[in-house]
Amino acid sequence: MRPVTHNTKVKMVEVPQGYAGEGFFTMKLSEAVGLARSNSIWPLPFATSCCGIEFMATMAAHYDLARFGSERLSFSPRQCDLIMVMGTIAKKMAPVLRQVYLQMAEPRWVMAVGACASSGGIFDSYSVLQGIDQVIPVDVYVPGCPPRPEAIIDGFLKIQQLVKSEDIRRRQGDQYKELLNTYGIQ
Amino acid sequence: MLTNEIVKNKLIEKFGDQVSNFTEPYGMLTFEASNEINLKLLTFLHDDPELEFTFLNDLTAVHYPDHKGKELAVVYLLQNIKASLRIRFKVYASIEKPDVYTATGVFSTANWLEREAYDFFGVNFVGHPNLIRIMNVDEMDYHPLRKEYPAEDQTRIDKDDAMFGR
């Protein structure tokens, strides 16, 4: 017997539904793509205030977002799949956020973390954007002021579910284009 | 040593009844002046060899909706650094014609401070080199710290007014 004690608690992603035979495995392309995408999301942290601090905890060793395939944060929007907006977005910041979103390549997802990004939060004021969904479409909202790292991870898992189940042709569809048109994009 | 009394006497000697309402809340000399002489007053306070108020601590505006004809106050806070003495004075303008002469010629720091007062209160600083908004978005079409505008964002539709004390 080898002296190494194997870690028996490792969890693997389950084998997706498909048809297996001798030396081959067939499945739907969209499912294979979704599986790959959802477990290798590169997030772009757009952190402007206290929710960003919670995100730092989420990324750090204790909560470790890397477990979900997001080892690498990217600070270039062109490389990212998911923009995580964390914190109060002032009206003056809104065009910047929109520009960052436009620079991301499709497919792209958006997560609004915390009350301020979702709805303006306590800053019901002339200077604060009342929710980032006024300038860009949002996929998942995480409530909390600020949300705990568990909540951020929960939101992230919801994003993964969306990515996994998304139809591969959704981004070319009329419905999606119509959605972007309501935001004046394209 | 420069004291409030000396400053007050020099100002009355020079400007007579154009400066008024001298008070000293918390030991700080405070007075009011007509908005026509704000530049003369600033220049005198800055250049006089005895007064030497060479530092503009702050310049801001206040909106008093109940003071008919003098709704907008522009407040100047000046400091004599050598004597460590601070004074404050206010000039008033009506909200229909909120014209006040710019202090940028005397204090360069007044440039941004006056842009801020213009942005939030709509004070028109006559002669300012670049009187545009500094804090708020350029598209904003009102001056948000005037009392007739609620602090809350009026574009918000997802909140029940009754629940949020509006």
Side-chain angles (χ1 to χ4, degrees):
Chain A
M1 191 180 153
R2 281 159 56 179
V4 178
T5 316
H6 288 285
N7 183 356
T8 53
K9 290 180 184 169
V10 172
K11 281 184 185 165
M12 305 271 286
V13 177
E14 281 176 34
V15 178
Q17 283 201 326
Y19 182 71
E22 188 69 37
F24 71 92
F25 183 85
T26 58
M27 65 188 291
K28 282 198 280 182
L29 179 64
S30 60
E31 278 182 19
V33 170
L35 191 68
R37 277 179 179 170
S38 69
N39 291 296
S40 63
I41 294 174
W42 284 15
L44 167 67
F46 195 96
T48 54
S49 47
C50 42
C51 289
I53 306 293
E54 294 296 313
F55 176 73
M56 291 169 206
T58 313
M59 279 306 298
H62 195 90
Y63 291 96
D64 197 10
L65 197 64
R67 291 179 292 160
F68 308 101
S70 298
E71 184 69 53
R72 189 189 186 279
L73 294 186
S74 182
F75 294 93
S76 159
R78 297 174 204 283
Q79 301 171 337
C80 288
D81 311 299
L82 168 67
I83 179 169
M84 299 173 78
V85 183
M86 298 166 279
T88 319
I89 303 298
K91 279 182 182 163
K92 232 178 171 171
M93 191 62 142
V96 180
L97 175 64
R98 194 183 142 89
Q99 184 69 24
V100 169
Y101 177 76
L102 290 177
Q103 285 176 349
M104 292 169 71
E106 292 278 18
R108 56 194 165 184
W109 289 271
V110 180
M111 188 166 146
V113 177
C116 291
S118 304
S119 72
I122 60 167
F123 301 104
D124 186 3
S125 156
Y126 58 87
S127 59
V128 173
L129 192 68
Q130 302 298 302
I132 60 165
D133 50 9
Q134 295 195 356
V135 288
I136 55 174
V138 177
D139 292 286
V140 169
Y141 300 86
V142 178
C145 185
R148 284 193 56 85
E150 288 92 333
I152 298 180
I153 288 176
D154 186 54
F156 191 82
L157 294 179
K158 293 268 193 305
I159 288 275
Q160 280 196 326
Q161 285 303 318
L162 283 177
V163 175
K164 201 173 282 182
S165 58
E166 183 176 301
D167 184 78
I168 202 163
R169 283 188 289 274
R170 172 176 175 244
R171 306 269 162 176
Q172 280 81 43
D174 288 340
Q175 200 183 2
Y176 184 72
K177 281 182 181 152
E178 203 174 295
L179 171 74
L180 286 189
N181 269 330
T182 60
Y183 287 92
I185 299 171
Q186 286 164 359
Chain B
M1 199 62 185
L2 195 64
T3 61
N4 287 348
E5 202 62 28
I6 299 172
V7 178
K8 181 179 170 182
N9 290 338
K10 286 205 77 151
L11 286 171
I12 290 175
E13 186 191 324
K14 171 93 176 166
F15 294 99
D17 55 1
Q18 285 181 297
V19 288
S20 57
N21 284 352
F22 284 89
T23 51
E24 291 188 18
Y26 300 95
M28 188 175 181
L29 184 69
T30 303
F31 59 95
E32 292 169 11
S34 138
N35 68 345
E36 268 98 51
I37 63 153
N38 73 325
L39 257 192
K40 284 181 196 148
L41 198 55
L42 281 169
T43 317
F44 177 66
L45 288 163
H46 181 276
D47 292 346
D48 187 273
E50 199 183 349
L51 296 176
E52 283 191 311
F53 284 95
T54 52
F55 186 60
L56 180 68
N57 268 323
D58 198 9
L59 185 164
T60 187
V62 189
H63 183 204
Y64 298 104
D66 298 334
H67 295 189
K68 288 283 166 272
K70 25 195 308 198
E71 285 93 347
L72 286 172
V74 177
V75 189
Y76 299 85
L77 287 106
L78 298 167
Q79 184 170 16
N80 177 326
I81 293 176
K82 277 188 206 160
S84 191
L85 186 75
R86 295 170 70 206
I87 60 167
R88 161 173 52 207
F89 77 91
K90 297 179 183 181
V91 303
Y92 293 94
S94 76
I95 205 152
E96 290 82 28
K97 194 170 176 295
D99 293 349
V100 175
Y101 293 113
T102 176
T104 45
V106 189
F107 298 102
S108 298
T109 187
N111 189 319
W112 282 13
L113 294 172
E114 286 179 351
R115 277 176 66 185
E116 188 194 23
Y118 162 74
D119 190 351
F120 283 104
F121 295 93
V123 182
N124 180 29
F125 288 97
V126 180
H128 191 286
N130 186 29
L131 197 62
I132 54 171
R133 287 186 186 275
I134 187 169
M135 308 282 260
N136 286 305
V137 285
D138 294 333
E139 305 87 66
M140 189 174 268
D141 53 0
Y142 66 107
H143 301 289
L145 289 196
R146 285 192 180 175
K147 298 277 190 246
E148 64 260 40
Y149 301 110
E152 294 84 8
D153 191 319
Q154 299 304 301
T155 62
R156 193 160 175 168
I157 45 172
D158 61 329
K159 276 186 171 177
D160 182 349
D161 286 2
M163 297 287 184
F164 288 86
R166 282 191 180 170

